[in-house]
Amino acid sequence: MKTLRNFNFKGKIVLLRADLNSDVLNGKVLMSEKIKESAKTINYLKQKRAKIVVIAHQGRPGKSDFISLKQHAKLLNKYTKIKFVDDILGKKAQEAIRNLREGEAILLENIRFEKDEFFPEKEKKNKLMKLIELADIYVNDAFSVCHRKQASIVLFPKYLPSCSGKLLEKEVSALKKIK
């Protein structure tokens, strides 16, 4: 498994699939270890002068915790500077991605708001291919969804050089210690 150490990120647009899914109480996102750990990968990429596009999810369609990632951005900002973009594929998101400077990070809206996230088999017609066209490298740091057949997990690494992030690497190392 390739890791962050296998790549030169300077000036590259990095599509980072983070694991920000957290408990929600009365519509308010609670701080979680996942958010703190995700900030470590973001900070590492910033130090390496990457242009970071964070994609993540919160909840599942139809559930009460299926909400925007705007609150997650506020929580992440306690550990690393990140700008929230309330868009995934539209002009606002594309412009924000193109305008990124080295060492900057943005968080796009909940990836599960885009229906094509759930249909990776529609590969060539999948709207999320737009993100692939804008990125140079894909980093998976979302251990809890690695088993899911969703576009941001299975489609992106087919088209972009890929590696694991710090949190995913940490989780896999912990599994290797179990006998």
Side-chain angles (χ1 to χ4, degrees), residues 69-98:
L69 296 182
K70 188 172 186 176
Q71 292 180 59
H72 298 74
K74 288 180 183 175
L75 294 171
L76 271 170
N77 268 297
K78 293 180 180 190
Y79 303 97
T80 189
K81 186 176 180 189
I82 193 163
K83 179 185 172 197
F84 177 70
V85 178
D86 64 342
D87 188 15
I88 303 167
L89 302 169
K91 288 180 184 177
K92 196 184 294 186
Q94 290 179 45
E95 186 175 310
I97 293 168
R98 286 189 184 105

Side-chain angles (χ1 to χ4, degrees), residues 6 18 59 64 69 72 77 87 98 103 106 119 121 126 129 169 175-176 178:
N6 294 106
S64 63
L69 296 182
H72 298 74
N77 268 297
D87 188 15
R98 286 189 184 105
I106 59 173
F119 299 102
E121 62 278 356
N126 193 305
M129 292 295 284
E169 189 177 357
L175 285 175
K176 286 180 180 177
I178 299 173

Side-chain angles (χ1 to χ4, degrees), residues 8-24:
N8 176 3
F9 293 103
K10 185 174 178 11
K12 304 286 189 204
I13 296 176
V14 175
L15 198 53
L16 171 63
R17 178 53 162 101
D19 186 6
L20 303 177
N21 194 44
S22 303
D23 289 333
V24 176

Side-chain angles (χ1 to χ4, degrees), residues 14-140:
V14 175
L15 198 53
L16 171 63
R17 178 53 162 101
D19 186 6
L20 303 177
N21 194 44
S22 303
D23 289 333
V24 176
L25 184 62
N26 298 322
K28 184 176 179 185
V29 177
L30 304 177
M31 179 56 81
S32 70
E33 283 303 310
K34 291 178 183 180
I35 291 171
K36 293 175 187 176
E37 291 293 324
S38 293
K40 291 178 183 177
T41 298
I42 294 166
N43 283 327
Y44 176 89
L45 291 168
K46 283 181 172 188
Q47 290 170 358
K48 298 298 180 181
R49 307 300 297 160
K51 301 173 182 181
I52 308 138
V53 180
V54 181
I55 54 173
H57 77 279
Q58 174 59 54
R60 293 185 182 158
K63 303 290 183 182
S64 63
D65 67 344
F66 187 56
I67 61 173
S68 169
L69 296 182
K70 188 172 186 176
Q71 292 180 59
H72 298 74
K74 288 180 183 175
L75 294 171
L76 271 170
N77 268 297
K78 293 180 180 190
Y79 303 97
T80 189
K81 186 176 180 189
I82 193 163
K83 179 185 172 197
F84 177 70
V85 178
D86 64 342
D87 188 15
I88 303 167
L89 302 169
K91 288 180 184 177
K92 196 184 294 186
Q94 290 179 45
E95 186 175 310
I97 293 168
R98 286 189 184 105
N99 290 331
L100 274 170
R101 292 190 175 125
E102 291 181 7
E104 288 184 339
I106 59 173
L107 172 62
L108 299 183
E109 185 55 276
N110 189 336
I111 193 74
R112 289 185 174 172
F113 284 4
E114 177 53 55
K115 289 184 174 114
D116 276 4
E117 168 70 351
F118 299 101
F119 299 102
E121 62 278 356
K122 287 178 26 183
E123 199 166 311
K124 298 295 181 190
K125 295 180 181 179
N126 193 305
K127 293 177 192 169
L128 291 171
M129 292 295 284
K130 286 182 186 176
L131 290 176
I132 294 168
E133 293 166 8
L134 294 169
D136 299 306
I137 300 171
Y138 171 74
V139 176
N140 185 349

